[in-house]
Amino acid sequence: MHVNVRLFARLKDIAGTGELARQAPPGATARTVWDTLVNEFAQLRDYEASISVAVNEEYSRMDVAIADGDEIAFLPPVSGG
Amino acid sequence: MHVNVRLFARLKDIAGTGELARQAPPGATARTVWDTLVNEFAQLRDYEASISVAVNEEYSRMDVAIADGDEIAFLPPVSGG
Amino acid sequence: MNDNRIVMPTASYAVTTDTLNLEALIEAVTSTPPDTAVAAVGPGGITSFVGVVRNENAGRRVLHLEYEGYEPLVLRAFERIGTEAADRWDVRVALHHRLGTLQIGEASVMIAAASPHRADAFAACRYIIERVKQIVPIWKHEFFEGGDVWIEGATADPDDDTARQDAIRVAGG
Amino acid sequence: MNDNRIVMPTASYAVTTDTLNLEALIEAVTSTPPDTAVAAVGPGGITSFVGVVRNENAGRRVLHLEYEGYEPLVLRAFERIGTEAADRWDVRVALHHRLGTLQIGEASVMIAAASPHRADAFAACRYIIERVKQIVPIWKHEFFEGGDVWIEGATADPDDDTARQDAIRVAGG
């Protein structure tokens, strides 16, 4: 299936883009998609323990099952205010 | 000696005026002046335990000695804000 | 007052019958760098408090308020309170109070505090409103449906350390 | 989100590249009486917090900041935070955050809280800024003398109750 990946801040700098289209196998979770990205952009591994994930513009969990067409956003630690 | 008395809020209503000129004996304190006023306006007695006093536009004490020409202000409990 | 206290040239104190303006207070605590560490770094946070005339008090329907004050002593009390706050927290402060007739919804008091540290800004702002209610010689004359009454709160005593410690505690330190 | 939560029609949330305006937030929390007890009585106090870009951070001389945000999730996080505050305190709130390039001294975030009780207004305002820093998907890109760096603070997890309790504690209850 097809998913749209969003990356922000330093993650976007590492990948060189904030929006990627990727394929994911049936039964994939957000973590499956993240692991794919880490394989592609090794520096992302530094964020393994600190990222948050949002699915379709709502905070979610790395182990959530994803569906075709989902928007999966990976968020480094936030610094608003 | 001569002192200028200022009264505020309900004290002013009781006395019917916010500014009074009064005579005080040598050695008088702020309390001497207050006692004079209580003799004159009996309802002021209700404020015996709750008034504050200012002498020449600074907070002071009832037992402070006053001087000719001083401005003695008696202040009921405050309610600013 | 302690003559050795640091002068805070941009602290802004006012008592007025004019409408209060929050922008003026925020401008006062953020502009014109004074000779302090606060200005060298610049504020990171500005807190403000606006007190508003309510249409209800103690079960009475309030029509309007008339605020009376002993103006010269109000300003001295403001300076005292501002100095107390600046001695305790890393802040620049402004404190304006209105007198005269105020309608429901109008602002009676405005406070602003700027600091590099938001905890200081919050604490100072809260401390200042507590101290205003404790020691500033201002009185509310409340006109309600069916009558009027002078509101009487705290016996004003700037040297009462128990009251001051209460204000510090409520402000969170 | 709990679908049974009380709707707060006048809560105001915004994320924008425009200059922020505190008067707009205060207007939002005080005007247009909504169908709540707060409005029936009218606010007695309004607190606000303004976050300002500082010229120094961690010993670096800051030149400017660029704020990036995941806008739809920012707004949902704002709603979540505002609801958390209104569930705990008797307040109406507003929360606006700026994105894009900000110069030193410009406001990045503004919060307002109105309540009949000033303690509630202060607590809610402080709680909201703490929660913004915990869970809102916004990032500061700091440009300083000699380089630039993405600032990384808290791992965002709205369901982390420890973080939320920290914010409640800092807010004073």
Side-chain angles (χ1 to χ4, degrees):
Chain A
M1 60 191 171
H2 172 96
V3 295
N4 299 301
V5 175
R6 300 286 307 269
L7 299 175
F8 293 90
R10 176 105 174 88
L11 307 190
K12 183 167 77 173
D13 285 358
I14 289 171
T17 177
E19 305 197 29
L20 304 89
R22 287 294 179 272
Q23 295 301 317
T29 64
R31 177 165 300 284
T32 315
V33 178
W34 172 254
D35 290 343
T36 304
L37 294 173
V38 171
N39 273 336
E40 201 172 341
F41 309 103
Q43 283 183 283
L44 290 182
R45 195 180 304 278
D46 296 346
Y47 287 87
E48 187 70 30
S50 63
I51 50 160
S52 302
V53 64
V55 177
N56 297 332
E57 304 179 349
E58 281 280 23
Y59 277 112
S60 186
R61 297 280 161 192
M62 290 295 270
D63 60 4
V64 75
I66 56 173
D68 185 56
D70 278 355
E71 176 172 292
I72 319 293
F74 295 107
L75 317 173
V78 299
S79 57
Chain B
M1 59 191 172
H2 170 98
V3 294
N4 299 301
V5 175
R6 301 286 306 269
L7 298 175
F8 293 89
R10 175 102 174 91
L11 307 191
K12 184 168 75 172
D13 285 356
I14 290 170
T17 176
E19 305 196 30
L20 306 87
R22 288 291 179 277
Q23 296 300 318
T29 63
R31 176 165 301 283
T32 316
V33 177
W34 173 254
D35 290 342
T36 304
L37 294 173
V38 171
N39 274 336
E40 200 169 342
F41 309 104
Q43 283 184 281
L44 289 182
R45 194 179 306 277
D46 296 345
Y47 289 87
E48 188 70 33
S50 63
I51 50 160
S52 303
V53 66
V55 177
N56 297 331
E57 305 179 349
E58 282 280 21
Y59 277 112
S60 188
R61 297 278 160 194
M62 290 295 271
D63 59 4
V64 74
I66 56 174
D68 187 55
D70 278 354
E71 176 172 295
I72 318 294
F74 295 106
L75 317 173
V78 299
S79 57
Chain C
M1 292 280 191
N2 174 359
D3 284 338
N4 294 322
R5 71 193 170 85
I6 294 164
V7 176
M8 297 286 288
T10 57
S12 170
Y13 306 111
V15 55
T16 173
T17 55
D18 294 339
T19 303
L20 301 181
N21 173 11
L22 187 56
E23 293 298 325
L25 280 85
I26 290 180
E27 176 80 7
V29 298
T30 55
S31 68
T32 320
D35 184 19
T36 70
V38 178
V41 174
I46 307 151
T47 56
S48 72
F49 177 78
V50 176
V52 173
V53 177
R54 291 174 65 194
N55 61 2
E56 186 274 344
N57 183 35
R60 301 186 291 265
R61 179 150 297 273
V62 177
L63 303 175
H64 72 274
L65 295 182
E66 290 179 12
Y67 280 85
E68 177 174 316
Y70 184 25
E71 294 189 38
L73 190 55
V74 167
L75 286 172
R76 285 173 193 248
F78 281 8
E79 284 171 19
R80 179 189 291 253
I81 292 169
T83 302
E84 286 174 356
D87 283 352
R88 185 164 194 95
W89 296 285
D90 186 5
V91 286
R92 293 167 63 195
V93 302
L95 169 53
H96 294 192
H97 204 299
R98 194 164 163 198
L99 298 181
T101 301
L102 272 77
Q103 304 301 328
I104 305 302
E106 288 194 296
S108 54
V109 60
M110 292 188 177
I111 299 164
S115 175
H117 320 289
R118 67 182 178 283
D120 282 21
F122 273 101
C125 201
R126 182 75 197 271
Y127 177 81
I128 289 169
I129 184 62
E130 299 304 316
R131 290 295 274 163
V132 165
K133 288 170 181 285
Q134 287 176 352
I135 68 165
V136 172
I138 290 177
W139 300 270
K140 288 183 185 80
H141 194 174
E142 180 187 303
F143 293 80
F144 58 90
E145 276 185 2
D148 68 276
V149 62
W150 283 100
I151 307 296
E152 294 178 349
T155 293
D157 180 358
D159 297 325
D160 177 354
D161 197 55
T162 302
R164 206 165 84 80
Q165 294 302 327
D166 280 349
I168 290 169
R169 184 181 47 72
V170 167
Chain D
M1 290 281 191
N2 174 359
D3 284 338
N4 294 323
R5 70 193 173 85
I6 293 164
V7 176
M8 296 285 288
T10 57
S12 169
Y13 306 112
V15 53
T16 173
T17 55
D18 294 339
T19 303
L20 302 181
N21 172 12
L22 187 57
E23 292 298 327
L25 280 86
I26 290 180
E27 175 79 6
V29 298
T30 54
S31 67
T32 319
D35 184 19
T36 69
V38 178
V41 174
I46 306 152
T47 56
S48 72
F49 176 77
V50 177
V52 173
V53 177
R54 292 175 62 193
N55 62 1
E56 185 273 347
N57 182 35
R60 302 185 291 265
R61 180 151 297 272
V62 177
L63 303 175
H64 72 273
L65 295 182
E66 290 179 10
Y67 280 84
E68 179 175 314
Y70 185 22
E71 296 190 36
L73 190 54
V74 168
L75 286 173
R76 284 174 195 249
F78 281 9
E79 285 172 20
R80 181 188 290 255
I81 293 168
T83 302
E84 285 174 356
D87 283 351
R88 187 165 192 92
W89 295 285
D90 186 4
V91 286
R92 292 166 63 192
V93 301
L95 168 53
H96 294 192
H97 205 298
R98 194 165 163 198
L99 298 181
T101 302
L102 272 77
Q103 304 301 325
I104 306 302
E106 289 193 295
S108 54
V109 61
M110 292 186 175
I111 299 163
S115 175
H117 320 288
R118 68 182 178 282
D120 281 20
F122 273 101
C125 201
R126 182 75 197 274
Y127 176 82
I128 289 169
I129 184 62
E130 299 304 318
R131 289 296 274 162
V132 165
K133 288 170 181 285
Q134 288 177 350
I135 68 165
V136 172
I138 290 177
W139 299 271
K140 288 184 184 76
H141 194 176
E142 179 186 302
F143 292 81
F144 57 90
E145 275 185 2
D148 67 277
V149 62
W150 282 101
I151 306 299
E152 295 177 348
T155 292
D157 181 359
D159 297 326
D160 177 355
D161 197 56
T162 302
R164 205 164 84 79
Q165 294 301 328
D166 281 350
I168 290 169
R169 185 183 45 75
V170 167

